[in-house]
Amino acid sequence: MIEGFVPTLLVGIVGAFLAEVIRVLPAVRKGKPPRGWDLVASLLQVVLGGGAVLFGWDQEQSALKVAVMGAAFPLLFSAAVDGAKPPSGGHSGRDVAHGERSVADYFAGRF
């Protein structure tokens, strides 16, 4: 059980980081690892995932629950971007392997 601002934030960041690593593994396997602005986007999602768990930091909570809530933010945000923006470059379908990947494509998990 954890309680307090800093412990809650840190556990949320760890959960968001693990979710982001799992989400980025397909890009690494395809030989298109995150670079430049993609890394900034990943860092932003991890920080926002840590911040998303701060509702209720003043109460004692399960560390697993906080980590899962932190992990949920990057995944939900990616799904929202995926549904809101069509693939860039005018490609049909979702494969961006033959074109340049934009940051929005990266956010959406289009590798």
Side-chain angles (χ1 to χ4, degrees):
M1 300 297 272
I2 60 169
E3 181 181 1
F5 183 84
V6 174
T8 303
L9 179 66
L10 291 177
V11 172
I13 286 175
V14 168
F17 177 76
L18 292 175
E20 190 65 14
V21 167
I22 291 169
R23 193 181 71 81
V24 170
L25 280 177
V28 173
R29 287 186 185 139
K30 287 183 179 183
K32 297 184 87 178
R35 294 185 189 116
W37 287 109
D38 295 343
L39 291 173
V40 173
S42 283
L43 179 63
L44 177 68
Q45 288 199 61
V46 168
V47 169
L48 290 175
V53 301
L54 290 177
F55 298 107
W57 64 270
D58 55 344
Q59 302 168 3
E60 194 170 293
Q61 302 179 67
S62 164
L64 181 60
K65 175 185 168 187
V66 172
V68 168
M69 288 183 344
F73 181 83
L75 302 175
L76 291 172
F77 187 75
S78 291
V81 172
D82 187 32
K85 183 190 178 301
S88 67
H91 297 292
S92 62
R94 304 178 73 124
D95 186 18
V96 294
H98 301 294
E100 287 296 316
R101 177 178 67 202
S102 70
V103 174
D105 287 330
Y106 179 78
F107 267 134
R110 298 185 192 125
F111 306 120

